[in-house]
Amino acid sequence: MDLSRTLTGIGAALLATALLANPAAGAPGDTPPSTRDFGNGPERNETAAVDEASTGAFSARTLDVPPAASTWSLRSHRGYPRQNVLPVQPENPDDRSIKLGLVPYHSIAPKLNALQKSSNRVSAEIAGKSAGGRDLYLVTVTAPESPWEAARQDHWRALIEENPGAAKRDRSLRAGYKTPVWINANIHGNEWEGTDGALRVIERLATATDPATAAFLKRSRVYVSVSLNPDGRVAGTRANGAGFDINRDFATNSQPESRMARDVVIATQPFVMLDEHGYTGTTLIEPATPPHGQNYEYDLYIKHALPNALGMEKAIQQLGHAETTRADIPFRDYAPGDWDDWPPIFTPMYAIYQGAVGHTVEIPLRVNNADYNNLPVEELQRRSRINTDVAAATIEAALTYADTNRGTLLTDQIEQFRRGWAGEPSPVIPDGFVDGFGPEDRYSTTFPRAYVIPAGTPAAARLVDHLIANDVRVRKALSGFTLNGHRYDRGDYVVDMRQPKRGLANVLLEAGRDISDLVPQMYDISGWSNGLLWGASVDSSRTAYPRVATRAAAKADPTGSVDAPRGRDLLLKLRDGNDVRAVNELLDQGIKLSRTDASTVVVPADARPEASSIARSLGVRFTAAPRGTKGEVFDRPVIAAAVSADELFVLRQMGFEVRTVSTAVLNAGFDLSGVDTLIVSSGLSYTALNAAAKAAVDAYLTRGGGVLTRGATGANFNAAAKVLPAVATAGRGDANGVVAVTGEGPIVGAGSPVHSFVYSPIWFTGTGFTVEQRYRAGATPLVAGHWQPGDTGTNGPAQAAGQAAVVSGVTAGGGNAVLFGTEPLFRAHPKGLFAPYARALFWTAS
Ligand SMILES: [Zn+2]
């Protein structure tokens, strides 16, 4: 049976629905085909994030500015083993692993402590903390090394990246470099058995007495992140403690778990990596379908990924279970778009850019979600035993592949970095390069010669620090220069694309590509762009490299300043999320702020010390207010929010105090009387409110309460509660990407970036409101991503062109309202859109 065709059919039918007409049934992911977990699940619009504040007092909890990358480092001037006594966590009888007969989080540290005690091959460390504060373990299994031997491994690893030519010629490196393999387990918390399978392999490697294992460990280092999502493991959730899918976070690094994984892959530079997931019915082993990421050196990847997958398939066949007679290998078995490797948001795809042959492995038998609650315990445990066998077998097979092919894997990693340094085009891959490679697999790009990022804004500093944290090399101009007719200043940043990880640099900084016509559907997002969406100016130079002296930047220069004579009131423009946070921190300190328009805040002269301190900590710039500037005084807004977890995260990151609500919370009698503005984007349906709650919402609107909505849930609320007379139209449910927009209105439109992000895009028609922002007219507004029209050729980007994407207006009760058809806070990625969103929030609260 042609499984892939069936999947395409079901997926397309599911997705091409009129979301607004039937919001309960229309969202993608309600009844996904058995082998696909839609990346952007229905919870984003249908389940509001709730926390302790929803039943108690208003929460004062705000998020701190994200911490720097973890301080863990591979280079420690120590040999191996590096044995640590890991702190043991209290026993938690509610850990969801227990019912499945699997190792609960609290048993991992004791197990690793015992293994370290009994074997000189095992080192266990804490390489980070989860969002919920749990330890993220990293285990290294290898034969003992003296400090000198470990330092030599460090030197060789660096040589491969820094000087691939020298590495290639170095015979001692070729003979003595230990093959690095990284196993990442349990990144989705309710896909448990990767952890158990990995622990089984660690234990075997630690205790085996045969000469082959001893010799293998002399040639290899096996790194294992045992559970990358302990919060989810304990709670039985896909997401981490902050409600994020970590396996969608690798272009953004908003979560500590993805930052840890990023740091591990950079530090260990693996030849091969596995990311152990579940549950797809049949075991699934990548390589993936097209579209393939156009910035890969794909030939170097697929020549190993396919045979490694075939080896893993053979290994699960040999287990002898009726459920493991074959695997789905999407590259071999699925239709284009059914399981692609296009965005760099997934761990293995990200790892490819770091030099690894990365694979997602999906173990077969479902034990989570409804099955976890409904299946008999014996059946769950039977499934988990088979799943653990599959996880262990795939890991063992990958270790064997890496060991057997260590010479060519080394050569090919060297080649990847060499091409980057040389600025060579990626080669054209011929049909039949591996079995099944055809024209549909051929994706490539032309790398620009350089990017230039003008310095001086918090957005530029954030982007530069993000690039550096990802091991992208950034240089600082030592004097002013001209490039392609533009004048740049001393201190501006230059990304020379002749660098070992040029693919990663480009996949983050480039606009991306409109791939709507290439495949019928995609697995997850098809558009992202740190270059277009993070609020910094990023210029690309196709062929010219700036003629200017530069030096390597280890971090971005500080950007904060107070540029005003003493005694003068200060102005702060709300152009970045940090500007918004600065406002909230000043309000928190009791400073009386006012604003002259939606984006201009006046800080009194006597608050200069506080402003100076915040300028330093947040990198924001205060300027002099013209004499006599008078604004409208405003206060900390009181916000009730029915929002998704990512939106709640960003709101708190900007320093807003938020009380979370939902249909259920309002139905339980939530008091709206003190609320300034109500955000509706997830889990709040006006029609599902009981009579008392409806009356409370009506009274809130009648007295002029503010409203801010996003997406289909918000648009439905707008219509049902009669907030603004705007009529919403939705594009296909899975349509997503970077769109070009034009700013018109005074709140969101003015001074906003000219690109925005959409997922399930919406536009508004009608009269009686102000258009803040429109989808670009004239050409398709979709710059990068996947957005097809519906079956009848409607609701595509052509129909959205020129239509209103964001609108503002005044409600019948006199309150301010803003409706977003775009996704300004999506997964905390489009950071350049945070401030426009916050301006809308302040305005609706006023
Ligand atoms: Zn998964």
Side-chain angles (χ1 to χ4, degrees):
M1 170 183 135
D2 189 349
L3 177 67
S4 51
R5 289 277 158 70
T6 313
L7 282 174
T8 306
I10 296 171
L14 249 180
L15 296 168
T17 49
L19 257 179
L20 293 173
N22 190 1
D30 272 4
T31 49
S34 62
T35 68
R36 293 184 73 197
D37 273 325
F38 280 87
N40 198 42
E43 71 284 352
R44 188 149 190 286
N45 284 338
E46 288 164 25
T47 311
V50 290
D51 62 10
E52 74 289 348
S54 64
T55 51
F58 283 105
S59 172
R61 187 160 68 96
T62 56
L63 280 180
D64 289 332
V65 176
S70 81
T71 51
W72 167 82
S73 159
L74 191 62
R75 293 165 177 264
S76 73
H77 310 290
R78 295 167 62 194
Y80 282 94
R82 296 173 183 177
Q83 293 171 326
N84 298 291
V85 178
L86 302 172
V88 173
Q89 307 303 324
E91 219 172 289
N92 177 1
D94 295 329
D95 188 306
R96 298 302 176 110
S97 319
I98 296 169
K99 183 178 179 182
L100 301 171
L102 301 171
V103 60
Y105 165 69
H106 59 251
S107 295
I108 296 174
K111 210 172 168 61
L112 295 176
N113 285 339
L115 278 170
Q116 290 183 101
K117 219 169 182 176
S118 64
S119 168
N120 63 358
R121 298 168 173 175
V122 179
S123 307
E125 305 163 78
I126 295 171
K129 294 267 188 199
S130 71
R134 293 187 173 86
D135 293 333
L136 302 173
Y137 304 120
L138 179 72
V139 171
T140 306
V141 192
T142 192
E145 292 172 26
S146 68
W148 182 84
E149 287 169 326
R152 192 174 57 167
Q153 293 292 324
D154 289 342
H155 166 74
W156 281 335
R157 188 186 325 103
L159 197 67
I160 290 167
E161 183 188 351
E162 301 290 339
N163 193 343
K168 196 172 180 177
R169 292 187 298 272
D170 190 327
R171 282 198 198 152
S172 56
L173 184 160
R174 190 160 280 283
Y177 186 57
K178 285 182 160 182
T179 299
V181 179
W182 174 40
I183 307 300
N184 189 42
N186 201 202
I187 188 170
H188 288 145
N190 63 355
E191 298 165 8
W192 285 272
E193 296 90 340
T195 298
D196 302 79
L199 285 169
R200 185 188 291 173
V201 175
I202 292 168
E203 187 160 356
R204 185 191 72 75
L205 293 172
T207 56
T209 53
D210 61 296
T213 302
F216 167 80
L217 290 172
K218 282 193 177 142
R219 294 190 297 267
S220 313
R221 279 194 192 166
V222 181
Y223 304 102
V224 183
S225 28
V226 178
S227 169
L228 201 75
N229 185 356
D231 300 345
R233 185 175 190 81
V234 169
T237 57
R238 178 182 180 89
N240 71 351
F244 274 71
D245 186 334
I246 307 161
N247 201 37
R248 302 291 183 271
D249 194 41
F250 280 86
T252 310
N253 296 144
S254 71
Q255 299 304 302
E257 296 89 347
S258 76
R259 292 196 289 272
M260 178 247 182
R262 172 196 74 195
D263 294 347
V264 166
V265 71
I266 292 169
T268 63
Q269 211 166 291
F271 290 173
V272 173
M273 78 81 55
L274 300 187
D275 201 28
E276 293 280 345
H277 289 254
Y279 303 97
T280 41
T282 302
T283 302
L284 181 148
I285 303 171
E286 289 176 347
T289 70
H292 306 302
Q294 61 186 357
N295 291 286
Y296 298 137
E297 303 300 326
Y298 192 74
D299 57 324
L300 304 177
Y301 169 72
I302 194 64
K303 71 186 270 196
H304 293 292
L306 187 57
N308 190 23
L310 294 171
M312 288 189 261
E313 182 181 46
K314 193 174 245 176
I316 66 161
Q317 287 168 335
Q318 286 166 353
L319 291 170
H321 299 299
E323 294 87 345
T324 63
T325 54
R326 58 178 288 273
D328 284 339
I329 298 175
F331 179 87
R332 181 187 68 184
D333 301 327
Y334 284 9
D338 274 3
W339 195 286
D340 62 276
D341 55 36
W342 180 251
I345 58 175
F346 310 114
T347 323
M349 279 65 257
Y350 176 78
I352 298 172
Y353 292 112
Q354 297 286 359
V357 177
H359 302 256
T360 300
V361 173
E362 299 267 352
I363 52 179
L365 305 176
R366 189 169 290 280
V367 293
N368 61 5
N369 302 337
D371 288 336
Y372 184 92
N373 297 320
N374 300 336
L375 288 177
V377 172
E378 308 77 63
E379 171 61 8
L380 286 171
Q381 297 198 352
R382 185 190 75 84
R383 291 183 177 197
S384 278
R385 279 194 299 275
I386 294 172
N387 287 338
T388 304
D389 288 350
V390 170
T394 54
I395 295 167
E396 293 280 12
L399 296 181
T400 300
Y401 183 87
D403 188 39
T404 311
N405 297 281
R406 54 199 300 272
T408 46
L409 283 163
L410 170 64
T411 301
D412 291 332
Q413 191 181 66
I414 288 172
E415 173 64 6
Q416 178 173 341
F417 297 146
R418 186 199 67 78
R419 284 182 198 168
W421 281 116
E424 267 177 29
S426 306
V428 176
I429 307 173
D431 289 353
F433 177 74
V434 296
D435 274 354
F437 187 96
E440 72 282 4
D441 290 303
R442 198 167 290 121
Y443 284 81
S444 64
T445 194
T446 305
F447 293 100
R449 183 63 187 83
Y451 287 96
V452 182
I453 305 170
T457 63
R462 178 185 300 114
L463 178 60
V464 163
D465 284 337
H466 179 75
L467 292 170
I468 293 169
N470 279 280
D471 204 22
V472 171
R473 287 124 207 268
V474 182
R475 305 191 67 83
K476 225 178 281 188
L478 297 178
S479 60
F481 62 96
T482 301
L483 184 67
N484 303 323
H486 293 275
R487 188 70 202 155
Y488 296 96
D489 293 332
R490 172 193 160 92
D492 285 351
Y493 301 101
V494 177
V495 179
D496 182 350
M497 288 297 286
R498 292 192 182 161
Q499 60 169 295
K501 295 175 181 174
R502 65 168 177 188
L504 183 58
N506 209 46
V507 82
L508 297 177
L509 290 172
E510 70 173 347
R513 179 169 166 191
D514 179 351
I515 58 167
S516 308
D517 294 337
L518 301 180
V519 289
Q521 63 175 357
M522 290 284 287
Y523 187 80
D524 198 90
I525 57 164
S526 310
W528 65 91
S529 176
N530 306 61
L532 294 185
L533 296 176
W534 275 34
S537 305
V538 178
D539 299 334
S540 91
S541 176
R542 298 313 307 175
T543 54
Y545 188 76
R547 299 163 72 91
V548 63
T550 60
R551 67 177 170 79
K555 74 192 290 294
D557 287 331
T559 56
S561 60
V562 179
D563 300 332
R566 293 194 175 275
R568 279 282 277 282
D569 287 351
L570 307 173
L571 289 189
L572 179 62
K573 286 275 186 188
L574 303 185
R575 293 281 178 253
D576 184 86
N578 278 20
D579 299 324
V580 177
R581 184 164 179 111
V583 166
N584 282 322
E585 288 191 8
L586 288 166
L587 289 170
D588 243 5
Q589 295 173 40
I591 291 160
K592 209 171 97 179
L593 303 182
S594 60
R595 68 188 152 215
T596 57
D597 58 46
S599 61
T600 311
V601 171
V602 184
V603 182
D606 61 9
R608 190 182 182 100
E610 290 85 351
S612 298
S613 156
I614 283 173
R616 270 195 304 278
S617 63
L618 295 175
V620 301
R621 177 165 180 246
F622 296 88
T623 57
R627 284 186 200 285
T629 302
K630 282 265 176 293
E632 180 194 338
V633 175
F634 68 103
D635 223 333
R636 230 180 194 304
V638 177
I639 299 168
V643 293
S644 52
D646 51 353
E647 293 174 311
L648 182 62
F649 178 87
V650 175
L651 285 164
R652 290 193 162 140
Q653 205 169 53
M654 289 193 289
F656 288 107
E657 287 177 20
V658 177
R659 189 171 181 188
T660 55
V661 297
S662 64
T663 305
V665 169
L666 292 192
N667 280 344
F670 180 87
D671 180 9
L672 281 166
S673 63
V675 171
D676 297 322
T677 192
L678 172 66
I679 309 178
V680 183
S681 56
S682 183
L684 176 49
S685 164
Y686 181 85
T687 51
L689 294 176
N690 61 32
K694 255 183 203 158
V697 168
D698 292 345
Y700 170 81
L701 292 170
T702 304
R703 74 159 165 85
V707 177
L708 187 157
T709 77
R710 188 271 307 163
T713 297
N716 283 322
F717 180 87
N718 175 66
K722 299 185 170 55
V723 179
L724 292 181
V727 177
T729 304
R732 198 168 117 152
D734 68 341
N736 73 84
V738 180
V739 291
V741 291
T742 50
E744 294 179 17
I747 316 298
V748 177
S752 285
V754 297
H755 293 99
S756 188
F757 186 79
V758 292
Y759 198 114
S760 309
I762 286 175
W763 57 96
F764 302 98
T765 52
T767 54
F769 51 83
T770 300
V771 176
E772 290 286 342
Q773 217 167 42
R774 287 184 197 277
Y775 296 108
R776 175 172 68 188
T780 174
L782 188 69
V783 171
H786 192 271
W787 179 357
Q788 289 188 348
D791 290 341
T792 53
T794 55
N795 297 25
Q799 287 75 39
Q803 303 281 1
V806 182
V807 302
S808 66
V810 178
T811 68
N816 292 340
V818 176
L819 317 179
F820 282 88
T822 55
E823 285 277 350
L825 311 186
F826 188 81
R827 295 179 184 165
H829 180 68
K831 298 184 191 301
L833 313 181
F834 293 0
Y837 180 94
R839 295 201 300 265
L841 193 51
F842 279 124
W843 183 71
T844 59
S846 66

